[in-house]
């Protein structure tokens, strides 16, 4: 297979060279302040109870220590209500385009019933898109990267519409998900989002690029992405992906993990259903936690530019064109004449060099050059390899046709250049008209000044100009000298084809522009033909006297200065009012924030007190039950004492009767009775 064709296809399909600057740093100290804690029902119908920050804090579901942020799920209680308690974090900021880099040491392990995800989503799902960067279910061992959109978008060879989406799941390689990722001490995920594609990289611990966590990461140094979703005619990235929030969540069962429960032999052997297992086995989810070292969001610095309202071509496409041109120039000769190993080495060196030195702007001829070279190379491959081993112009991992893409880029570039040339011509015409207008106004000003140095003409011979000013009474040489001086001052401002300001404006027609770009031309200059006296309905100066004209001119200057001073005062006042308004607004916002913070603290305090009171009430109820039991025991004892007292009274009466009997008998009988009494008493004492 032709070496240049192969490497060119790889470079154009996967070129991602871009330098970035840091936009948002989700540092551990401020991590949770940059997220909202969602509490709504799980949109994926999971068996989960998402809680707010206060509840999660009271349950010790998250902590920050040793420069790491850790949060997990409830693994001590039997689930109830909506399901097992967990956290769902959604970033307060929204993003369109950029580079998201996540360094994590631990994610929820590959546990039956779990469905953890690190992803991005826009409003009005799925029409603003969803990017699943890290996601899986149950005992899954490899990450599945997925795009979800509305209708009309196909990436990675399949439709991305709705909940199924289009996904890439690499097989083999480093462990990039769940238990395997945790055993390797985590790794780094990076997602690059441009107008042309969405790329995702995974780097295992120890294999990260040196600049990936720095202030200016350069994706050109990172090699091929783990997954590449390339747009084009098959999918307009900017139309289907916009305004995304970053989301972390750990749900259970639901539309994915629950639906495939029976397909996992390990999980289905544990319980009849996913929900039963999650409900009854809290200890199984002890390792369902995230530990994040850093999360950073970057925006492009030089090469990655958003498409502007004027239709500016994105720099991603310029990068592809420039890279392809340089690559063809540097590798085609070696690929055609050198041994394959040498050609491959030289081509790879060229790719590296080009990816590091992409600086030139987009040019329309370069796209055509690449397109022609691709056609030529494809023909050469067909001739050299009739067996069908020629250049495959399609992107195997993303379904984008490179030839079609480059042709489209060339057409868009040509249209943009034509549009810019038209705008340059329009701006040149505007500038020319503005210079002519300034020259005419300055001529009129000099005419007024010159008129003050000449004798007053009779009123019936005083020529006028269309605006009611006196005609130019200077010698022709004075006007010509002034125009030459003015032309010298402005000669460097305009192209050489502009109308010369030394030429009388009346000798050339005004510049014609389209309706949307029309401008007002200055009034016609004064006529110097004798015998022509122009009349006008506009009033003239008070009189033809030079002194009167000079006084009127001084009055105009004074009025203009007063108006300028008033305008300056108004501007200053407006700036002061604006500053005061913004200051008051800032103070109001700060006051509202402080009040909100105080209310939140008060709410947290009252909630804590309510929990303490509930605990005390529960303790009081327990104490009341204990006292009731004690009272019942005492009442039982009291009843027993009453019975014994009755028995003693009966015995005393018996003793009294015995005494009465003994008093009337002889001594023997007394002794016998006495012995009987003593024996009875002894037996009674023994029974007690």
């Amino acid at each position: 297979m032709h070496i240049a064709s192969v490497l060119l296809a790889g470079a154009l399909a996967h070129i991602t060279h871009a330098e970035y600057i840091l936009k948002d740093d989700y540092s551990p100290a401020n991590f949770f302040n940059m997220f909202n804690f969602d509490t709504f029902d799980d949109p994926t119908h999971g068996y989960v109870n998402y809680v707010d920050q206060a509840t999660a804090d009271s349950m010790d579901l998250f902590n920050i220590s040793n420069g790491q942020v850790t949060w997990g799920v409830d693994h001590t209680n039997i689930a109830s209500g909506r399901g097992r308690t967990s956290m769902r974090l959604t970033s307060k900021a929204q993003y369109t385009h950029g580079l998201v880099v996540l360094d994590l040491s631990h994610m929820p392990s590959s546990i039956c019933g779990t469905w953890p995800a690190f992803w991005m989503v826009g409003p009005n799902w799925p029409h603003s898109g969803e990017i699943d960067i890290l996601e899986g279910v149950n005992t899954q061992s490899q990450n599945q990267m997925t795009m979800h959109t509305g209708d009309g978008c196909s990436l990675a060879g399949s439709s991305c519409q709705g909940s199924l989406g289009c996904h890439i799941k690499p097989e083999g390689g480093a462990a990039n998900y769940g238990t395997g990722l945790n055993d390797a001490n985590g790794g780094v995920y990076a997602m690059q989002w441009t107008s042309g594609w969405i790329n995702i990289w995974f780097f295992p611990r120890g294999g990260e690029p040196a600049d990936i966590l720095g202030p200016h990461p350069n994706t050109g140094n990172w090699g091929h992405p783990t997954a590449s979703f390339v747009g084009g005619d098959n999918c307009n990235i900017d139309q289907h992906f916009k305004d995304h929030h970053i989301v972390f969540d750990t749900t259970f069962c639901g539309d994915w993990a629950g639906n495939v429960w029976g397909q996992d032999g390990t999980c289905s052997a544990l319980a009849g259903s996913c929900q039963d297992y999650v409900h009854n086995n809290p200890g199984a989810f002890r390792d369902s936690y995230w530990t994040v070292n850093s999360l950073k969001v970057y925006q492009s610095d030089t090469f990655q530019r958003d498409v502007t309202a004027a239709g500016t071509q994105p720099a991603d496409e310029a990068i592809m064109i420039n890279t392809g041109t340089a690559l063809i120039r540097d590798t085609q000769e070696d690929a055609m004449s050198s041994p394959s190993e040498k050609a491959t080495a030289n081509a790879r060196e060229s790719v590296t060099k080009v990816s590091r030195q992409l600086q030139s702007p987009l040019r329309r001829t370069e796209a055509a050059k690449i397109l022609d070279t691709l056609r030529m190379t494809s023909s050469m491959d067909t001739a050299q390899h009739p067996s069908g081993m020629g250049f495959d112009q399609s992107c195997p991992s993303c379904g984008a046709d490179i030839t079609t893409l480059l042709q489209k880029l060339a057409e868009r570039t040509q249209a943009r250049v034509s549009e810019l040339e038209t705008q340059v011509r329009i701006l040149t015409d505007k500038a020319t008209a503005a210079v002519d207008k300034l020259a005419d106004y300055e001529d009129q000003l000099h005419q007024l000044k010159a008129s003050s140095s000449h004798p007053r003409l009779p009123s019936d011979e005083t020529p006028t100009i269309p605006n009611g000013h006196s005609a130019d009474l200077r010698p022709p040489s004075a006007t010509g000298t002034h125009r030459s001086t003015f032309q010298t001052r402005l000669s460097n401002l305009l192209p050489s084809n502009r109308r010369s300001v030394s030429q009388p404006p009346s000798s050339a027609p005004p510049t014609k522009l389209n309706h949307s770009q029309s401008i007002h031309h200055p009034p016609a200059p004064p006529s110097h033909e004798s015998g022509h006296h122009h009349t006008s309905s506009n009033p003239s100066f008070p009189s033809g006297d030079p002194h009167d004209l000079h006084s009127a001119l001084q009055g105009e200057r004074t009025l203009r200065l007063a108006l300028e001073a008033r305008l300056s005062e108004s501007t200053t006042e407006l700036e002061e009012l604006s500053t005061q308004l913004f200051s008051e607004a800032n103070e109001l916002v700060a006051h509202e924030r402080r009040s909100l913070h105080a209310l939140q603290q008060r709410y947290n305090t009252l909630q804590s007190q309510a929990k303490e009171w509930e605990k005390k009430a529960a303790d009081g109820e327990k104490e009341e039950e204990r006292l009731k039991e004690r009272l019942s025991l005492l009442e039982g004892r009291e009843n027993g004492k009453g019975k014994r007292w009755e028995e003693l009274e009966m015995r005393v009466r018996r003793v009294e009767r015995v005494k009465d009997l003994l008093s009337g008998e002889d001594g023997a009988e007394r002794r016998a009775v006495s012995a009987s009494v003593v024996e009875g008493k002894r037996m009674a004492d023994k029974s007690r």
Side-chain angles (χ1 to χ4, degrees):
M1 181 179 293
H2 199 287
I3 299 298
S5 300
V6 175
L7 291 178
L8 179 59
L12 293 181
H14 298 290
I15 187 66
T16 57
H17 179 83
E19 293 179 351
Y20 289 89
I21 56 175
L22 182 63
K23 177 178 176 60
D24 290 324
D25 185 358
Y26 290 74
S27 60
N30 201 38
F31 187 86
F32 292 111
N33 293 332
M34 301 178 73
F35 284 94
N36 292 319
F37 284 68
D38 297 331
T39 59
F40 45 72
D41 292 340
D42 185 14
T44 60
H45 311 103
Y47 184 59
V48 65
N49 176 37
Y50 291 129
V51 296
D52 58 22
Q53 185 171 2
T55 304
D57 190 12
S58 67
M59 298 180 66
D60 293 329
L61 295 185
F62 66 87
N63 67 78
I64 302 174
S65 63
N66 299 324
Q68 295 177 317
V69 182
T70 300
W71 70 96
V73 304
D74 176 22
H75 57 83
T76 59
N77 301 303
I78 300 294
S80 62
R82 296 192 299 178
R84 182 157 301 283
T85 298
S86 179
M87 291 166 52
R88 174 179 165 130
L89 305 177
T90 300
S91 68
K92 297 178 180 178
Q94 289 180 287
Y95 305 98
T96 299
H97 295 185
L99 179 68
V100 179
V101 180
L102 171 68
D103 180 2
L104 74 166
S105 295
H106 193 283
M107 68 169 292
S109 298
S110 304
I111 301 171
C112 291
T114 56
W115 181 0
F118 167 60
W119 51 298
M120 299 181 70
V121 65
N124 191 25
W125 188 91
H127 302 289
S128 296
E130 175 184 329
I131 304 173
D132 297 331
I133 303 171
L134 175 57
E135 185 181 28
V137 297
N138 298 331
T139 59
Q140 187 172 315
S141 60
Q142 290 293 324
N143 179 32
Q144 179 167 306
M145 293 152 280
T146 309
M147 305 290 121
H148 300 271
T149 67
D151 189 19
C153 177
S154 294
L155 299 171
S158 62
S159 173
C160 302
Q161 181 178 0
S163 58
L164 292 179
C166 49
H167 68 268
I168 295 176
K169 185 178 180 181
E171 299 296 337
N176 59 13
Y177 175 84
T179 302
L181 176 69
N182 299 335
D183 292 343
N185 195 26
V188 178
Y189 270 96
M191 188 279 296
Q192 180 193 39
W193 174 6
T194 72
S195 295
W197 57 74
I198 297 173
N199 288 331
I200 299 175
W201 286 266
F202 170 71
F203 301 101
R205 184 67 63 207
E208 312 95 329
D211 65 346
I212 194 168
L213 299 177
H216 301 287
N218 186 345
T219 57
N221 301 327
W222 296 359
H224 294 292
T226 307
S228 183
F229 300 87
V230 180
D233 292 337
N234 52 309
C235 183
N236 185 321
I237 297 292
D238 287 341
Q239 179 180 346
H240 290 280
F241 296 88
K242 54 190 174 184
D243 301 329
H244 278 202
H245 295 276
I246 298 173
V247 182
F248 286 95
D249 74 80
T250 304
T251 186
F252 304 95
C253 303
D255 296 338
W256 187 6
N259 288 344
V260 300
W261 179 266
Q263 302 173 19
D264 191 316
T266 302
C267 295
S268 59
L270 297 175
S273 69
C274 179
Q275 183 167 328
D276 288 343
Y277 183 74
V278 174
H279 175 81
N280 295 309
N281 297 276
F285 304 100
R286 184 179 301 274
D287 286 337
S288 294
Y289 65 89
W290 298 84
T291 297
V292 172
N293 299 324
S294 69
L295 172 61
K296 297 180 180 180
V297 180
Y298 300 85
Q299 291 295 325
S300 61
D301 181 15
T302 304
F303 303 117
Q304 303 290 337
R305 303 292 186 190
D306 294 343
V307 180
T308 63
T312 303
Q313 204 72 318
D316 301 333
E317 300 173 351
I319 294 166
M320 295 175 65
I321 292 176
N322 294 335
T323 304
T325 302
L327 186 59
I328 291 172
R329 183 177 60 249
D330 294 341
T331 64
Q332 186 177 32
E333 183 176 355
D334 287 340
M336 295 173 60
S337 61
S338 302
S340 59
E341 293 184 1
K342 178 181 178 182
T344 302
N346 291 341
R348 288 176 178 171
E349 182 179 356
S350 298
V351 171
T352 303
K353 179 178 67 176
V354 170
S355 66
R356 291 178 179 174
Q357 297 179 355
L358 285 174
Q359 298 291 340
S360 59
L362 176 65
R363 299 182 178 90
R364 66 176 184 265
T365 56
E366 292 178 340
K369 186 187 301 181
I370 292 178
L371 192 59
D372 293 340
T373 306
L374 280 172
R375 295 194 183 101
M376 178 184 67
T377 307
S378 179
S379 300
M380 293 172 58
D381 288 334
T382 303
Q384 294 178 5
H385 302 280
S387 60
M389 295 298 290
F391 172 42
D392 182 7
Q393 297 183 6
S394 64
C395 176
S397 64
C398 53
D401 188 280
I402 296 173
T403 303
T404 303
L405 177 61
L406 291 176
Q407 189 170 8
K408 180 180 178 181
L409 298 184
E411 294 173 355
R412 291 176 60 183
T413 304
Q414 176 67 41
R416 179 57 180 161
V417 170
S418 300
E419 181 183 351
L420 291 175
E421 290 175 349
T422 302
Q423 293 180 4
V424 169
R425 288 194 297 271
I426 292 173
L427 292 175
T428 301
D429 293 339
K430 287 184 177 181
T432 302
V435 170
D436 291 339
K437 186 175 181 180
L438 288 173
D440 292 338
Y441 284 162
E442 193 157 338
D443 284 344
Q444 293 177 15
L445 181 62
H446 278 275
Q447 292 169 13
L448 291 174
K449 290 181 179 179
S451 64
S452 63
S453 61
H454 291 272
R456 180 179 177 181
L457 296 176
S459 58
D460 58 346
E461 296 180 1
T462 301
T464 60
I465 59 176
N467 286 335
H469 299 288
S470 298
D472 187 5
L473 300 180
R474 294 174 298 153
S477 61
T479 303
T481 302
H482 168 64
R483 281 191 173 271
S484 299
T485 304
F486 192 73
Q487 179 183 8
T488 302
R489 289 207 314 260
L490 300 177
S491 60
N492 294 327
L493 297 180
L494 297 173
S496 58
N497 63 344
R498 69 175 178 84
R499 186 181 68 187
S500 174
V501 295
S502 62
Q503 182 181 358
S506 59
S507 65
T511 303
K512 293 184 179 180
L513 301 176
N514 60 42
H515 178 70
S516 62
Q517 294 153 342
S518 63
I519 60 174
H520 296 285
H521 292 280
S527 173
H528 295 285
E529 297 180 4
S530 60
H532 287 264
H533 299 278
H534 298 278
T535 60
S536 173
S537 61
N538 295 332
S540 300
F541 282 99
S543 69
D545 193 337
H547 295 288
D548 294 339
L549 293 174
H550 186 268
S551 299
L553 181 60
Q554 287 295 114
E556 285 188 16
R557 289 178 178 175
T558 303
L559 180 60
R560 178 173 58 83
L561 292 176
L563 291 175
E564 289 178 352
R566 180 57 181 167
L567 177 61
S568 177
E569 293 177 0
S570 300
T571 303
T572 303
E573 183 178 359
L574 179 60
E575 292 176 352
E576 292 176 352
L577 289 175
S578 300
T579 302
Q580 183 180 0
L581 178 61
F582 279 111
S583 176
E584 292 178 355
N586 290 334
E587 291 178 0
L588 180 60
V589 171
H591 176 71
E592 291 294 333
R593 288 180 177 174
R594 288 192 297 268
S595 300
L596 180 61
H597 181 67
L599 289 174
Q600 183 66 35
Q601 289 182 333
R602 180 60 178 166
Y603 172 75
N604 293 337
T605 302
L606 292 175
Q607 194 174 32
S608 300
Q609 292 177 354
K611 291 180 180 179
E612 292 178 359
W613 291 337
E614 290 177 358
K615 183 177 179 181
K616 290 180 179 179
D619 293 341
E621 291 177 356
K622 292 180 181 179
E623 182 65 21
E624 183 180 1
E625 292 294 332
R626 190 179 66 81
L627 291 176
K628 287 181 179 180
E629 292 177 359
R630 179 64 176 169
L631 180 59
S632 298
L633 179 61
L634 293 176
E635 289 177 350
R637 291 180 179 179
E638 186 66 26
N639 293 334
K641 289 181 179 180
K643 292 180 180 180
R644 290 175 61 188
W645 181 255
E646 291 177 356
E647 291 178 358
L648 290 175
E649 288 181 344
M650 291 176 62
R651 289 175 182 175
V652 169
R653 286 195 295 270
R654 287 176 60 188
V655 170
E656 291 295 334
R657 287 197 301 271
V658 170
K659 285 182 180 180
D660 292 339
L661 291 175
L662 291 177
S663 63
E665 300 292 339
D666 55 13
E669 290 179 346
R670 290 180 183 176
R671 287 192 297 271
V673 173
S674 178
S676 176
V677 172
V678 172
E679 181 64 18
K681 183 179 180 181
R682 186 180 66 79
M683 293 299 294
D685 292 337
K686 186 177 180 180
S687 64
R688 288 197 300 269

